[in-house]
């Protein structure tokens, strides 16, 4: 968590989707939202699952779940981290009545008797290969600034009853896998050695990572870890939502490495996975931007190409700078998925004015379709962040989950289902994250 943890502030996920992210638009303090009636239905117990290969699926019932980070505090709340919200999936899609709130007090592992003040979702994978997805979080353990800091990364293991019963364990990074005295940061999941078990990559000092081979034990220990690995940059991001992916077709996932921290404009480059992990730099750098995704976006769709979003949502496709202008405004986030089930990947670019670019047999459309943004109280222009673009209801069409926020005091999560004509014009449901604590 680097510099921001050293200042005892939490780091929100601002990777790809953010990324990776995936999960959080900001690490800022969460002021209390005004009093209102709850927008969420009465909570129900989490259904019991038996394990699945779906991701993310914390209760193993075969239906993907949703992670919500950077929750707003309810009316009368404090600036402490309100926690992480989980909305569980069902055969009909996300079910806001089946939800849980994960808080530092109840779910984080204390350090020297001190419970972390921050508790931020980072990435999801099945670290112990038991059929239940696990949540990787970052925290702010006490540190006096002398010597090597403690590891701030913790693991919450899924179960047939979800994440609610879990108490996190600290990720164990062997001394031989650490380098320098910076905080281990920006955990990214992926099968980087191609052996079928999820691994973790975590930043070390300088352009290096601690590469931890899975599977992991329930005490947070990796199967193996060697010396720190050199990488072509200092910041990490997944190459696909919530996990990495194999871009060069060699059976091992690849890692996107950036030259600046998440949320900043930077060039990116791949660290290519292989039997020894992500140790080989990719052949070319991607144009400067805030986020990069990968898919079969060009005509013929035989090869995977990149899309990078720069200022105002200016898109570079396949490394060619500034090919498509979307006018989204603000810091953009990207997500790709097939929203109409036509076999061509579509692209969502979020920001102040989120848009959808449809995939076609001739490649990515240059026509940006504006997506609806909910009305929120307050002044200033709201900003939307992609939380997920995935098939939540099992109809083979990706559904979009957006988090729209204004003034750090008001927000709304909206779910736009995919359909034959693309994303729906109206959300299937919406709610404010403040109600995770209020209800």
């Amino acid at each position: 968590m680097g510099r921001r943890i050293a200042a005892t502030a939490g780091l929100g996920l601002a990777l790809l989707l953010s990324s990776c992210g995936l999960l959080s638009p900001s690490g800022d303090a969460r002021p209390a939202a005004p009093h209102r009636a709850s927008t969420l239905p009465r909570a129900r117990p989490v259904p019991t699952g038996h394990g699945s290969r779906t991701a993310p699926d914390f209760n193993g019932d075969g239906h993907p779940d949703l992670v919500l980070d950077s929750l707003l505090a309810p009316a009368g709340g404090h600036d402490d981290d309100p926690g992480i919200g989980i909305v569980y999936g069902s055969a009909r899609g996300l079910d806001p009545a089946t939800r849980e709130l994960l808080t530092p007090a109840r779910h984080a592992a204390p350090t020297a008797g001190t419970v972390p003040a921050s508790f931020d979702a980072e990435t999801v994978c099945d670290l112990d290969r038991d059929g239940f997805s696990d949540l990787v979080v970052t925290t702010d353990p006490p540190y006096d600034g002398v010597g090597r800091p403690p590891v701030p990364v913790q693991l919450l293991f899924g179960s047939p009853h979800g994440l609610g019963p879990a108490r996190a364990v600290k990720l164990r990074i062997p001394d031989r896998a650490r380098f320098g005295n910076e905080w281990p940061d920006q955990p990214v999941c992926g099968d980087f050695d191609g052996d079928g078990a999820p691994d973790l990559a975590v930043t070390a000092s300088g352009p290096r990572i601690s590469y931890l081979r899975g599977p992991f034990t329930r005490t947070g220990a990796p199967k193996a870890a060697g010396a720190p690995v050199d990488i072509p940059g200092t910041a990490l991001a997944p190459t696909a939502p919530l996990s990495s992916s194999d871009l060069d077709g060699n059976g091992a996932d690849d890692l996107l490495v950036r030259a600046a921290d998440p949320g900043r404009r930077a060039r990116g480059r791949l660290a290519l996975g292989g039997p020894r992990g992500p140790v080989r730099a990719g052949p070319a750098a991607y144009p400067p931007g805030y986020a990069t995704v990968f898919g079969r976006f060009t005509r013929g769709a035989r090869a995977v190409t990149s899309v990078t979003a720069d200022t105002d949502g200016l898109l570079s496709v396949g490394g060619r700078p500034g090919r498509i202008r979307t006018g989204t405004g603000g810091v953009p986030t990207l997500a790709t998925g097939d929203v109409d089930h036509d076999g061509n990947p579509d692209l969502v670019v979020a920001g102040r004015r989120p848009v959808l670019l449809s995939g076609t047999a001739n490649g990515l459309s240059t026509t940006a379709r504006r997506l609806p943004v909910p009305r929120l109280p307050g002044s200033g222009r709201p900003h939307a962040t992609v939380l997920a673009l995935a098939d939540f209801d099992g109809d083979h069409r990706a559904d979009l989950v957006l988090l729209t926020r204004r003034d750090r005091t008001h927000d709304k999560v909206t779910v736009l289902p995919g359909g034959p004509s693309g994303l729906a014009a109206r959300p299937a449901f919406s709610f404010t994250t403040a109600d995770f604590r209020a209800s």
Side-chain angles (χ1 to χ4, degrees):
M1 305 174 83
R3 295 164 295 279
R4 295 184 68 180
I5 282 200
T8 67
L11 176 67
L13 180 65
L15 301 180
L16 186 64
L17 267 199
S18 94
S19 178
C20 230
L22 155 80
L23 305 180
S24 169
S26 171
D28 297 331
R30 294 95 163 165
H35 178 72
R36 70 180 76 78
S38 175
T39 57
L40 289 168
R42 183 182 298 274
R44 293 196 296 262
V46 175
T48 301
H50 302 285
S52 79
R53 294 185 179 181
T54 301
D57 183 9
F58 302 113
N59 62 330
D61 65 352
H63 306 299
D65 308 319
L66 177 69
V67 181
L68 296 167
D69 204 9
S70 290
L71 305 179
L72 293 180
H78 303 286
D79 285 344
D80 292 342
D81 193 331
I84 300 165
I86 307 294
V87 179
Y88 287 87
S90 72
R92 298 178 301 278
L94 291 171
D95 180 5
T98 309
R99 64 185 185 274
E100 288 178 328
L101 176 66
L102 311 176
T103 65
R106 294 182 58 188
H107 296 91
T111 298
T114 300
V115 175
S118 69
F119 201 52
D120 297 312
E122 297 289 351
T123 190
V124 175
C125 51
D126 187 1
L127 292 169
D128 56 355
R129 302 181 70 185
D130 65 349
F132 303 92
S133 296
D134 310 311
L135 181 63
V136 182
V137 301
T138 48
T139 64
D140 58 345
Y143 173 53
D144 61 7
V146 178
R148 180 168 287 175
V151 175
V153 182
Q154 298 189 5
L155 313 177
L156 276 163
F157 287 95
S159 75
H161 304 289
L163 292 174
R167 171 73 75 167
V169 300
K170 299 173 185 176
L171 175 66
R172 297 187 178 186
I173 304 179
D175 285 342
R176 63 180 175 275
R178 296 193 66 176
F179 179 84
N181 290 331
E182 291 188 17
W183 294 83
D185 189 16
Q186 301 170 31
V188 176
C189 290
D191 181 10
F192 301 117
D193 56 8
D195 68 351
D199 311 312
L200 277 177
V202 182
T203 57
S205 297
R208 295 176 176 85
I209 60 169
S210 298
Y211 165 52
L212 310 175
R213 295 177 183 261
F216 290 73
T217 69
R218 283 293 182 117
T219 62
K223 177 182 178 181
V229 174
D230 292 339
I231 55 171
T234 58
L236 307 183
T239 55
L242 303 178
S243 66
S244 294
S245 58
D246 180 12
L247 301 178
D248 58 357
N250 70 342
D253 287 344
D254 306 312
L255 180 67
L256 180 62
V257 181
R258 304 178 75 247
D261 286 342
R264 296 186 179 182
R265 185 176 183 269
R267 287 187 177 274
R269 192 167 183 174
L270 289 178
L272 300 175
R276 296 186 296 121
V279 298
R280 184 166 58 95
Y286 300 107
Y290 292 91
T292 299
V293 293
F294 298 86
R296 302 185 187 278
F297 294 115
T298 56
R299 185 174 183 176
R302 291 184 178 180
V304 173
T305 56
S306 65
V307 174
T308 298
D310 202 351
T311 305
D312 202 26
L314 186 66
L315 302 182
S316 300
V317 180
R320 298 187 179 95
R323 304 291 291 182
I324 302 175
R325 186 175 300 278
T326 66
T328 52
V331 175
T333 52
L334 295 175
T336 181
D338 189 355
V339 303
D340 52 6
H341 192 43
D342 67 351
N344 301 304
D346 307 300
L347 183 73
V348 172
V349 187
R352 295 193 185 103
R353 297 173 296 275
V355 300
L356 170 71
L357 281 75
S358 297
T360 73
N362 295 319
L364 195 64
S365 170
T366 59
T367 301
R369 171 192 165 192
R370 298 289 179 202
L371 297 176
V373 176
R375 293 185 177 182
L376 296 174
S379 59
R381 183 169 290 176
H383 187 277
T385 302
V386 179
L387 296 183
L389 183 60
D391 179 14
F392 288 102
D393 55 12
D395 66 353
H396 305 291
R397 297 178 175 93
D399 311 306
L400 175 64
V401 184
L402 281 179
L403 171 64
T404 306
R405 181 160 289 176
R406 169 179 273 162
D407 294 339
R408 296 187 296 125
T409 56
H410 297 87
D411 73 7
K412 188 161 286 189
V413 175
T414 52
V415 179
L416 298 175
S421 301
L423 293 172
R426 295 183 179 181
F429 60 88
S430 63
F431 58 88
T432 172
T433 67
D435 287 341
F436 266 80
R437 285 287 294 269
S439 58

